């Protein structure tokens, strides 16, 4: 019995190694190349490749030049063989994204919808997701799972949403959020943690970084060696609620002077009756009142960034809705953060999220891609 189990485990290991070798290859490969690189026999490689071809996970895509015999056939990944969905729930909108196993975006949609912690709200989001998948003509049998990100503290062990100030939720069961999606594997993740993971995935570097999400709520995540650090109680990275102004502006968390109270995107949009794109258009056109508002915002933001940099001493990635408007502001932000820290003269540690407002959706969908690659 033990020998049989060992053989089964070996077969599974070979299957995984072969698939991941093709996945990680920058160009199509031949079975001879796979056998040589992994030190496996050609029959073992051939048998596994036949299974993958039958399952639609790999495909023949051409031939290489002949070295005297038949031309070797090349094999590549079928990127869209599986996909996952990420849903970002916010207080005033829902974002949806579908990604394939390369983390390439298959489709994106933003829906303006006021949040309500009621069954019909989640049922409507689930209905919108089904319509979204229909428009993309995606086969549900290939769906790995649905990830939902929320702007709040998620206790995965207790399966509770501990606190989400922008949604006005405290200590609710995650099943309230997931029941409408129960036809598929589903999980809930903090939005900033998901965003940070997406950033780490793209760079494929096992590095330390802090992710700061600048939306209507301000959240954060810490990744150590490319892996999320959630803290002892699952509350790490709540940078939006560090105090930057003692007894300052009231925050939705119930305290005063939080970074979120000064750096919510609402300060640049809702409070002024503007959309973010309108605010930055007016800023670039030289509107003095808008410039003064931005200067105040920027000063608060760099105060918070300097605290984070001094405490964590690693790269900081700015993401969320605001990231889409910061490319021409980045150098000034870097200079001002360096002026407020003790050791820094080069601000290259401060970067912008490449996914911007899509990052939370992509990050939470990536969980299922990673699980598929590791466990299939």
């Amino acid at each position: 019995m033990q020998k049989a189990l060992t053989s089964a485990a070996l077969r599974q290991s070979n299957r995984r190694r072969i698939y991941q070798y093709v996945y990680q290859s920058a160009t199509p490969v031949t079975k001879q190349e796979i056998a040589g690189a992994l030190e496996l026999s050609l029959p073992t490689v051939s048998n596994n490749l036949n299974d993958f071809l039958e399952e639609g996970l790999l495909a023949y895509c051409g031939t290489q030049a002949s070295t005297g015999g038949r031309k070797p056939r090349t094999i590549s990944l079928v990127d869209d063989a599986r996909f996952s969905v990420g849903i970002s729930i916010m207080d005033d909108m829902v974002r949806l994204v579908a990604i394939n196993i390369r983390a390439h975006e298959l489709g994106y949609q933003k829906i303006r919808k006021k949040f309500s912690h009621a069954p019909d709200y989640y049922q409507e989001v689930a209905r919108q997701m089904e319509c979204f998948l229909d428009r993309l003509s995606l086969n549900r049998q290939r769906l790995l799972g649905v990830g939902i990100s929320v702007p709040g503290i998620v206790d995965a062990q207790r399966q509770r949403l501990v606190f989400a100030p922008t949604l006005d939720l405290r200590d609710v069961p995650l099943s309230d959020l997931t029941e409408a999606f129960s036809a598929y594997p589903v999980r809930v993740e903090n939005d900033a943690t998901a965003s940070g993971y997406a950033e780490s995935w793209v760079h494929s570097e096992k590095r330390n970084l802090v992710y700061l999400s600048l939306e209507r709520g301000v959240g954060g995540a810490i990744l150590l060696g490319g892996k999320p650090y959630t803290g002892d109680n699952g509350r790490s990275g709540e940078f939006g609620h560090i105090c930057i102004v003692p007894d300052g502006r009231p925050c939705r968390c119930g305290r005063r002077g939080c970074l979120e109270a000064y750096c919510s995107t609402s300060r640049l949009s809702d409070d002024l009756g503007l959309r973010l794109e309108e605010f930055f258009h007016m800023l670039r056109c030289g509107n003095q009142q808008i410039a003064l508002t931005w200067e105040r915002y920027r000063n608060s933001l760099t105060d918070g960034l300097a605290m984070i940099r001094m405490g964590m001493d690693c790269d900081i990635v700015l993401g969320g809705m605001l990231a889409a408007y910061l490319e021409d502001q980045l150098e000034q932000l870097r200079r001002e953060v360096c002026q407020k820290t003790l050791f820094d003269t080069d601000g290259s540690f401060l970067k912008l999220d490449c996914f911007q407002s899509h990052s939370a959706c992509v990050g939470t969908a990536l969980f299922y891609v990673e699980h598929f690659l590791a466990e299939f």
Side-chain angles (χ1 to χ4, degrees), residues 153 190 193 220-223 228-239:
I153 299 169
N190 170 266
T193 299
I222 301 169
L223 287 94
Y229 170 73
T230 58
D232 292 342
N233 302 291
R235 299 193 291 262
S236 73
E238 285 297 321
F239 300 115

Side-chain angles (χ1 to χ4, degrees), residues 291-302:
L292 179 60
T293 301
W294 173 244
E295 182 180 356
R296 291 169 177 163
Y297 181 99
R298 192 181 66 238
N299 186 58
S300 298
L301 176 58
T302 53

Side-chain angles (χ1 to χ4, degrees), residues 61-203:
C61 59
T63 59
Q64 287 186 348
S66 173
T67 58
R70 296 175 58 185
K71 292 181 178 180
R73 301 178 75 180
T74 54
I75 299 156
S76 63
L77 191 77
V78 178
D79 294 353
D80 296 346
R82 300 289 186 274
F83 72 96
S84 60
V85 172
I87 301 174
S88 176
I89 291 179
M90 304 177 64
D91 62 340
D92 64 342
M93 74 175 69
V94 176
R95 300 183 183 120
L96 302 100
V97 73
I99 62 171
N100 66 19
I101 52 178
R102 290 280 193 199
H104 296 158
E105 191 174 291
L106 301 175
Y108 172 80
Q109 184 178 358
K110 180 171 69 174
I111 303 167
R112 292 283 179 184
K113 184 170 181 59
K114 186 72 174 175
F115 176 77
S116 170
H117 186 56
D120 58 351
Y121 170 87
Y122 300 109
Q123 290 163 8
E124 174 61 16
V125 173
R127 189 189 72 80
Q128 291 284 356
M129 183 195 76
E130 296 291 351
C131 293
F132 173 68
L133 297 180
D134 286 341
R135 284 193 294 275
L136 296 173
S137 300
L138 292 173
N139 184 343
R140 301 330 191 256
Q141 292 184 344
R142 297 183 175 184
L143 176 56
L144 297 172
V146 178
I148 301 173
S149 71
V150 292
I153 299 169
V154 176
D155 186 334
Q157 184 173 0
R158 295 176 52 239
Q159 286 292 290
R160 311 286 292 187
L161 177 57
V162 179
F163 187 36
T166 59
L167 303 182
D168 195 25
L169 293 180
R170 187 186 291 270
D171 196 29
V172 300
L174 296 183
S175 58
D176 286 0
L177 287 68
T178 60
E179 185 175 359
F181 305 89
S182 59
Y184 312 106
V186 60
R187 69 190 297 270
V188 180
E189 181 63 273
N190 170 266
D191 57 354
T193 299
S195 296
Y197 182 68
E199 179 71 15
S200 179
W201 174 282
V202 167
H203 294 285

